[in-house]
Structures are given as structure tokens and as C-alpha cells.
Amino acid sequence: MVLAECGPRARVVRGGDGFVRLLWGPVALRMSQAEFLGFAGMLSAAEGRVVRCGELARCECGLVFRCAMGQVSLYHGDLTLWFSPREFEEFSGLVLAARRALPDAPPPPPLGVPWGEEPARGLSRN
């Protein structure tokens, strides 16, 4: 399910497995829904901050930092992305639009057998 998109190579989708995939050009990030919510919260906090140079926002999964030349760097795990201020606005706008669409998305399908239920009969273990 597409949560948000801005062009054919920039979109956020949630798969049937419940994971959120963020596609930005040749880069693809896969996150749990909880991790995505933290990531979107970090971008939301960074978006409104006016800092000439320094940290804009931080969460468990990453950091947003503005360098002295005005570029914005985004750190997520071992990945680092550099943006112009305009590109960062587009990127964060995409993620925040997906965050707003997430509550309206149907819940992911259940995986496995619920706790306490017996698996389907008919298969023998011989």
C-alpha cells in the first residue's frame, strides 16, 4: 500500500508484512512501523528548527544535522544521506505525508498462529 509519493522514484509504502519501505531514488530503507514512527518524529522535529549549524533532531534510529555550508545530513544506522535544504524539505515532506496516512492504512495481516491456538490438524509428524 502506497502511503505517500512524490514522483516515480520517491515513495513510502507499507507491505503486507507490516514493514514500511522508504524509497528515495536509488536508496531504499526498510523499517518496522514503530521505527518509522520514530524516524518521522525526528524529521518533524528537525523540520521546524532554525539552526545555522549543528544538530537539528535525534531519535533512537538516527540524527539530523546541518553543516556550516547549509547542507543537511541525515544519519540512519550506517547510512548517511546529504541533502540541500530544498531536497531535505521534499524528503521530510514525503515522510511526514506517509506518517499522516499511516493511521488510515488497514492494519497489517496477522502472522503465525495466535498464542494458545492449536495448529491446523491434518499434517502428521511421522
Side-chain angles (χ1 to χ4, degrees), residues 51-54 56 64-75 81-88:
V51 174
R52 181 175 173 181
C53 179
L56 296 172
V64 180
F65 189 89
R66 183 181 310 273
C67 75
M69 296 180 65
Q71 290 181 314
V72 178
S73 54
L74 171 73
Y75 302 94
L81 298 173
W82 288 85
F83 298 98
S84 70
R86 188 177 70 81
E87 288 172 323
F88 181 72

PDB file of all heavy atoms in Angstrom, residues 51-54 56 64-75 81-88:
ATOM      1  N   VAL A  51      18.493  26.436  12.676  1.00  0.00           N
ATOM      2  CA  VAL A  51      19.838  26.354  13.227  1.00  0.00           C
ATOM      3  C   VAL A  51      20.804  26.557  12.080  1.00  0.00           C
ATOM      4  O   VAL A  51      20.685  25.914  11.039  1.00  0.00           O
ATOM      5  CB  VAL A  51      20.081  24.963  13.884  1.00  0.00           C
ATOM      6  CG1 VAL A  51      21.509  24.807  14.332  1.00  0.00           C
ATOM      7  CG2 VAL A  51      19.124  24.739  15.035  1.00  0.00           C
ATOM      8  N   ARG A  52      21.735  27.454  12.248  1.00  0.00           N
ATOM      9  CA  ARG A  52      22.700  27.697  11.180  1.00  0.00           C
ATOM     10  C   ARG A  52      23.639  26.509  11.009  1.00  0.00           C
ATOM     11  O   ARG A  52      23.977  26.116   9.902  1.00  0.00           O
ATOM     12  CB  ARG A  52      23.493  28.964  11.480  1.00  0.00           C
ATOM     13  CG  ARG A  52      24.471  29.270  10.397  1.00  0.00           C
ATOM     14  CD  ARG A  52      25.163  30.561  10.618  1.00  0.00           C
ATOM     15  NE  ARG A  52      26.201  30.682   9.600  1.00  0.00           N
ATOM     16  CZ  ARG A  52      27.014  31.680   9.520  1.00  0.00           C
ATOM     17  NH1 ARG A  52      26.940  32.666  10.380  1.00  0.00           N
ATOM     18  NH2 ARG A  52      27.920  31.703   8.584  1.00  0.00           N
ATOM     19  N   CYS A  53      24.076  25.945  12.116  1.00  0.00           N
ATOM     20  CA  CYS A  53      24.990  24.803  12.079  1.00  0.00           C
ATOM     21  C   CYS A  53      24.795  24.010  13.354  1.00  0.00           C
ATOM     22  O   CYS A  53      24.769  24.570  14.440  1.00  0.00           O
ATOM     23  CB  CYS A  53      26.434  25.297  11.973  1.00  0.00           C
ATOM     24  SG  CYS A  53      27.650  23.978  11.961  1.00  0.00           S
ATOM     25  N   GLY A  54      24.637  22.709  13.231  1.00  0.00           N
ATOM     26  CA  GLY A  54      24.507  21.853  14.407  1.00  0.00           C
ATOM     27  C   GLY A  54      23.374  20.862  14.288  1.00  0.00           C
ATOM     28  O   GLY A  54      22.741  20.723  13.239  1.00  0.00           O
ATOM     29  N   LEU A  56      19.899  19.158  14.480  1.00  0.00           N
ATOM     30  CA  LEU A  56      18.513  19.598  14.348  1.00  0.00           C
ATOM     31  C   LEU A  56      17.571  18.694  15.137  1.00  0.00           C
ATOM     32  O   LEU A  56      16.624  19.168  15.742  1.00  0.00           O
ATOM     33  CB  LEU A  56      18.093  19.614  12.878  1.00  0.00           C
ATOM     34  CG  LEU A  56      18.831  20.601  11.979  1.00  0.00           C
ATOM     35  CD1 LEU A  56      18.446  20.379  10.525  1.00  0.00           C
ATOM     36  CD2 LEU A  56      18.542  22.024  12.399  1.00  0.00           C
ATOM     37  N   VAL A  64      19.693  14.161  12.586  1.00  0.00           N
ATOM     38  CA  VAL A  64      19.662  15.141  11.506  1.00  0.00           C
ATOM     39  C   VAL A  64      20.549  16.300  11.934  1.00  0.00           C
ATOM     40  O   VAL A  64      20.414  16.812  13.045  1.00  0.00           O
ATOM     41  CB  VAL A  64      18.226  15.652  11.226  1.00  0.00           C
ATOM     42  CG1 VAL A  64      18.236  16.679  10.096  1.00  0.00           C
ATOM     43  CG2 VAL A  64      17.301  14.501  10.885  1.00  0.00           C
ATOM     44  N   PHE A  65      21.460  16.701  11.034  1.00  0.00           N
ATOM     45  CA  PHE A  65      22.482  17.688  11.370  1.00  0.00           C
ATOM     46  C   PHE A  65      22.652  18.659  10.205  1.00  0.00           C
ATOM     47  O   PHE A  65      22.652  18.251   9.058  1.00  0.00           O
ATOM     48  CB  PHE A  65      23.813  16.943  11.616  1.00  0.00           C
ATOM     49  CG  PHE A  65      24.905  17.777  12.169  1.00  0.00           C
ATOM     50  CD1 PHE A  65      25.055  17.930  13.532  1.00  0.00           C
ATOM     51  CD2 PHE A  65      25.808  18.414  11.329  1.00  0.00           C
ATOM     52  CE1 PHE A  65      26.079  18.699  14.053  1.00  0.00           C
ATOM     53  CE2 PHE A  65      26.830  19.182  11.830  1.00  0.00           C
ATOM     54  CZ  PHE A  65      26.975  19.330  13.202  1.00  0.00           C
ATOM     55  N   ARG A  66      22.787  19.947  10.493  1.00  0.00           N
ATOM     56  CA  ARG A  66      23.048  20.949   9.451  1.00  0.00           C
ATOM     57  C   ARG A  66      24.515  21.349   9.550  1.00  0.00           C
ATOM     58  O   ARG A  66      24.997  21.736  10.612  1.00  0.00           O
ATOM     59  CB  ARG A  66      22.171  22.174   9.614  1.00  0.00           C
ATOM     60  CG  ARG A  66      22.374  23.197   8.495  1.00  0.00           C
ATOM     61  CD  ARG A  66      21.518  24.440   8.650  1.00  0.00           C
ATOM     62  NE  ARG A  66      20.121  24.183   8.900  1.00  0.00           N
ATOM     63  CZ  ARG A  66      19.182  23.994   7.967  1.00  0.00           C
ATOM     64  NH1 ARG A  66      19.504  24.030   6.692  1.00  0.00           N
ATOM     65  NH2 ARG A  66      17.938  23.775   8.293  1.00  0.00           N
ATOM     66  N   CYS A  67      25.236  21.273   8.406  1.00  0.00           N
ATOM     67  CA  CYS A  67      26.645  21.656   8.399  1.00  0.00           C
ATOM     68  C   CYS A  67      26.773  23.159   8.175  1.00  0.00           C
ATOM     69  O   CYS A  67      25.802  23.844   7.868  1.00  0.00           O
ATOM     70  CB  CYS A  67      27.425  20.877   7.336  1.00  0.00           C
ATOM     71  SG  CYS A  67      27.151  21.427   5.655  1.00  0.00           S
ATOM     72  N   ALA A  68      27.979  23.682   8.324  1.00  0.00           N
ATOM     73  CA  ALA A  68      28.232  25.113   8.215  1.00  0.00           C
ATOM     74  C   ALA A  68      27.894  25.673   6.833  1.00  0.00           C
ATOM     75  O   ALA A  68      27.603  26.860   6.698  1.00  0.00           O
ATOM     76  CB  ALA A  68      29.690  25.409   8.559  1.00  0.00           C
ATOM     77  N   MET A  69      27.923  24.824   5.801  1.00  0.00           N
ATOM     78  CA  MET A  69      27.624  25.287   4.443  1.00  0.00           C
ATOM     79  C   MET A  69      26.134  25.213   4.125  1.00  0.00           C
ATOM     80  O   MET A  69      25.718  25.500   3.009  1.00  0.00           O
ATOM     81  CB  MET A  69      28.435  24.489   3.432  1.00  0.00           C
ATOM     82  CG  MET A  69      29.937  24.709   3.606  1.00  0.00           C
ATOM     83  SD  MET A  69      30.921  23.774   2.441  1.00  0.00           S
ATOM     84  CE  MET A  69      30.436  24.520   0.911  1.00  0.00           C
ATOM     85  N   GLY A  70      25.314  24.798   5.096  1.00  0.00           N
ATOM     86  CA  GLY A  70      23.869  24.779   4.908  1.00  0.00           C
ATOM     87  C   GLY A  70      23.294  23.440   4.511  1.00  0.00           C
ATOM     88  O   GLY A  70      22.078  23.267   4.518  1.00  0.00           O
ATOM     89  N   GLN A  71      24.124  22.472   4.137  1.00  0.00           N
ATOM     90  CA  GLN A  71      23.614  21.149   3.770  1.00  0.00           C
ATOM     91  C   GLN A  71      23.080  20.442   5.011  1.00  0.00           C
ATOM     92  O   GLN A  71      23.534  20.687   6.129  1.00  0.00           O
ATOM     93  CB  GLN A  71      24.697  20.297   3.140  1.00  0.00           C
ATOM     94  CG  GLN A  71      25.120  20.757   1.767  1.00  0.00           C
ATOM     95  CD  GLN A  71      26.185  19.850   1.205  1.00  0.00           C
ATOM     96  OE1 GLN A  71      27.139  19.508   1.897  1.00  0.00           O
ATOM     97  NE2 GLN A  71      26.020  19.474  -0.047  1.00  0.00           N
ATOM     98  N   VAL A  72      22.134  19.555   4.790  1.00  0.00           N
ATOM     99  CA  VAL A  72      21.545  18.781   5.878  1.00  0.00           C
ATOM    100  C   VAL A  72      21.978  17.336   5.710  1.00  0.00           C
ATOM    101  O   VAL A  72      21.832  16.761   4.624  1.00  0.00           O
ATOM    102  CB  VAL A  72      20.003  18.890   5.873  1.00  0.00           C
ATOM    103  CG1 VAL A  72      19.412  18.048   6.989  1.00  0.00           C
ATOM    104  CG2 VAL A  72      19.573  20.341   5.993  1.00  0.00           C
ATOM    105  N   SER A  73      22.523  16.756   6.767  1.00  0.00           N
ATOM    106  CA  SER A  73      22.891  15.342   6.717  1.00  0.00           C
ATOM    107  C   SER A  73      21.942  14.561   7.612  1.00  0.00           C
ATOM    108  O   SER A  73      21.553  15.018   8.689  1.00  0.00           O
ATOM    109  CB  SER A  73      24.343  15.129   7.139  1.00  0.00           C
ATOM    110  OG  SER A  73      24.596  15.698   8.391  1.00  0.00           O
ATOM    111  N   LEU A  74      21.570  13.397   7.127  1.00  0.00           N
ATOM    112  CA  LEU A  74      20.671  12.504   7.832  1.00  0.00           C
ATOM    113  C   LEU A  74      21.425  11.205   8.071  1.00  0.00           C
ATOM    114  O   LEU A  74      21.928  10.594   7.120  1.00  0.00           O
ATOM    115  CB  LEU A  74      19.425  12.246   6.984  1.00  0.00           C
ATOM    116  CG  LEU A  74      18.483  11.160   7.474  1.00  0.00           C
ATOM    117  CD1 LEU A  74      17.725  11.633   8.694  1.00  0.00           C
ATOM    118  CD2 LEU A  74      17.516  10.765   6.387  1.00  0.00           C
ATOM    119  N   TYR A  75      21.523  10.815   9.314  1.00  0.00           N
ATOM    120  CA  TYR A  75      22.183   9.561   9.680  1.00  0.00           C
ATOM    121  C   TYR A  75      21.114   8.587  10.144  1.00  0.00           C
ATOM    122  O   TYR A  75      20.309   8.908  11.014  1.00  0.00           O
ATOM    123  CB  TYR A  75      23.186   9.791  10.813  1.00  0.00           C
ATOM    124  CG  TYR A  75      24.250  10.794  10.477  1.00  0.00           C
ATOM    125  CD1 TYR A  75      24.104  12.138  10.823  1.00  0.00           C
ATOM    126  CD2 TYR A  75      25.402  10.412   9.803  1.00  0.00           C
ATOM    127  CE1 TYR A  75      25.081  13.065  10.500  1.00  0.00           C
ATOM    128  CE2 TYR A  75      26.383  11.337   9.479  1.00  0.00           C
ATOM    129  CZ  TYR A  75      26.212  12.662   9.833  1.00  0.00           C
ATOM    130  OH  TYR A  75      27.176  13.579   9.513  1.00  0.00           O
ATOM    131  N   LEU A  81      22.909  10.303   4.446  1.00  0.00           N
ATOM    132  CA  LEU A  81      22.407  10.982   3.256  1.00  0.00           C
ATOM    133  C   LEU A  81      22.645  12.480   3.418  1.00  0.00           C
ATOM    134  O   LEU A  81      22.438  13.025   4.508  1.00  0.00           O
ATOM    135  CB  LEU A  81      20.907  10.732   3.071  1.00  0.00           C
ATOM    136  CG  LEU A  81      20.472   9.284   2.851  1.00  0.00           C
ATOM    137  CD1 LEU A  81      18.953   9.185   2.857  1.00  0.00           C
ATOM    138  CD2 LEU A  81      21.029   8.752   1.548  1.00  0.00           C
ATOM    139  N   TRP A  82      23.074  13.135   2.346  1.00  0.00           N
ATOM    140  CA  TRP A  82      23.287  14.579   2.343  1.00  0.00           C
ATOM    141  C   TRP A  82      22.243  15.210   1.448  1.00  0.00           C
ATOM    142  O   TRP A  82      22.001  14.745   0.337  1.00  0.00           O
ATOM    143  CB  TRP A  82      24.685  14.912   1.814  1.00  0.00           C
ATOM    144  CG  TRP A  82      25.757  14.559   2.782  1.00  0.00           C
ATOM    145  CD1 TRP A  82      26.343  13.336   2.937  1.00  0.00           C
ATOM    146  CD2 TRP A  82      26.365  15.412   3.733  1.00  0.00           C
ATOM    147  NE1 TRP A  82      27.275  13.384   3.918  1.00  0.00           N
ATOM    148  CE2 TRP A  82      27.322  14.657   4.432  1.00  0.00           C
ATOM    149  CE3 TRP A  82      26.195  16.761   4.063  1.00  0.00           C
ATOM    150  CZ2 TRP A  82      28.098  15.190   5.441  1.00  0.00           C
ATOM    151  CZ3 TRP A  82      26.988  17.285   5.064  1.00  0.00           C
ATOM    152  CH2 TRP A  82      27.918  16.511   5.743  1.00  0.00           C
ATOM    153  N   PHE A  83      21.643  16.305   1.925  1.00  0.00           N
ATOM    154  CA  PHE A  83      20.596  16.999   1.188  1.00  0.00           C
ATOM    155  C   PHE A  83      20.904  18.489   1.127  1.00  0.00           C
ATOM    156  O   PHE A  83      21.455  19.054   2.081  1.00  0.00           O
ATOM    157  CB  PHE A  83      19.246  16.875   1.903  1.00  0.00           C
ATOM    158  CG  PHE A  83      18.732  15.479   2.046  1.00  0.00           C
ATOM    159  CD1 PHE A  83      18.920  14.775   3.224  1.00  0.00           C
ATOM    160  CD2 PHE A  83      18.018  14.879   1.026  1.00  0.00           C
ATOM    161  CE1 PHE A  83      18.416  13.497   3.378  1.00  0.00           C
ATOM    162  CE2 PHE A  83      17.513  13.606   1.166  1.00  0.00           C
ATOM    163  CZ  PHE A  83      17.718  12.904   2.343  1.00  0.00           C
ATOM    164  N   SER A  84      20.470  19.124   0.046  1.00  0.00           N
ATOM    165  CA  SER A  84      20.393  20.583   0.058  1.00  0.00           C
ATOM    166  C   SER A  84      19.179  20.909   0.941  1.00  0.00           C
ATOM    167  O   SER A  84      18.338  20.027   1.182  1.00  0.00           O
ATOM    168  CB  SER A  84      20.191  21.123  -1.354  1.00  0.00           C
ATOM    169  OG  SER A  84      18.890  20.813  -1.816  1.00  0.00           O
ATOM    170  N   PRO A  85      19.046  22.140   1.425  1.00  0.00           N
ATOM    171  CA  PRO A  85      17.864  22.472   2.237  1.00  0.00           C
ATOM    172  C   PRO A  85      16.550  22.172   1.511  1.00  0.00           C
ATOM    173  O   PRO A  85      15.604  21.653   2.106  1.00  0.00           O
ATOM    174  CB  PRO A  85      18.024  23.962   2.517  1.00  0.00           C
ATOM    175  CG  PRO A  85      19.498  24.185   2.489  1.00  0.00           C
ATOM    176  CD  PRO A  85      20.006  23.256   1.406  1.00  0.00           C
ATOM    177  N   ARG A  86      16.475  22.452   0.215  1.00  0.00           N
ATOM    178  CA  ARG A  86      15.252  22.193  -0.548  1.00  0.00           C
ATOM    179  C   ARG A  86      14.985  20.689  -0.664  1.00  0.00           C
ATOM    180  O   ARG A  86      13.849  20.237  -0.505  1.00  0.00           O
ATOM    181  CB  ARG A  86      15.346  22.821  -1.935  1.00  0.00           C
ATOM    182  CG  ARG A  86      14.037  22.768  -2.715  1.00  0.00           C
ATOM    183  CD  ARG A  86      14.154  23.461  -4.063  1.00  0.00           C
ATOM    184  NE  ARG A  86      14.990  22.737  -5.001  1.00  0.00           N
ATOM    185  CZ  ARG A  86      14.580  21.694  -5.725  1.00  0.00           C
ATOM    186  NH1 ARG A  86      13.359  21.245  -5.598  1.00  0.00           N
ATOM    187  NH2 ARG A  86      15.394  21.096  -6.559  1.00  0.00           N
ATOM    188  N   GLU A  87      16.032  19.918  -0.926  1.00  0.00           N
ATOM    189  CA  GLU A  87      15.863  18.461  -1.022  1.00  0.00           C
ATOM    190  C   GLU A  87      15.410  17.881   0.318  1.00  0.00           C
ATOM    191  O   GLU A  87      14.580  16.973   0.355  1.00  0.00           O
ATOM    192  CB  GLU A  87      17.167  17.794  -1.438  1.00  0.00           C
ATOM    193  CG  GLU A  87      17.563  18.012  -2.864  1.00  0.00           C
ATOM    194  CD  GLU A  87      18.960  17.476  -3.165  1.00  0.00           C
ATOM    195  OE1 GLU A  87      19.851  17.576  -2.291  1.00  0.00           O
ATOM    196  OE2 GLU A  87      19.141  16.957  -4.284  1.00  0.00           O
ATOM    197  N   PHE A  88      15.966  18.402   1.403  1.00  0.00           N
ATOM    198  CA  PHE A  88      15.564  17.903   2.717  1.00  0.00           C
ATOM    199  C   PHE A  88      14.089  18.206   2.984  1.00  0.00           C
ATOM    200  O   PHE A  88      13.374  17.368   3.537  1.00  0.00           O
ATOM    201  CB  PHE A  88      16.433  18.490   3.825  1.00  0.00           C
ATOM    202  CG  PHE A  88      16.057  17.967   5.180  1.00  0.00           C
ATOM    203  CD1 PHE A  88      16.345  16.666   5.533  1.00  0.00           C
ATOM    204  CD2 PHE A  88      15.380  18.770   6.081  1.00  0.00           C
ATOM    205  CE1 PHE A  88      15.972  16.162   6.777  1.00  0.00           C
ATOM    206  CE2 PHE A  88      15.008  18.280   7.321  1.00  0.00           C
ATOM    207  CZ  PHE A  88      15.302  16.980   7.671  1.00  0.00           C
TER     208      PHE A  88
END
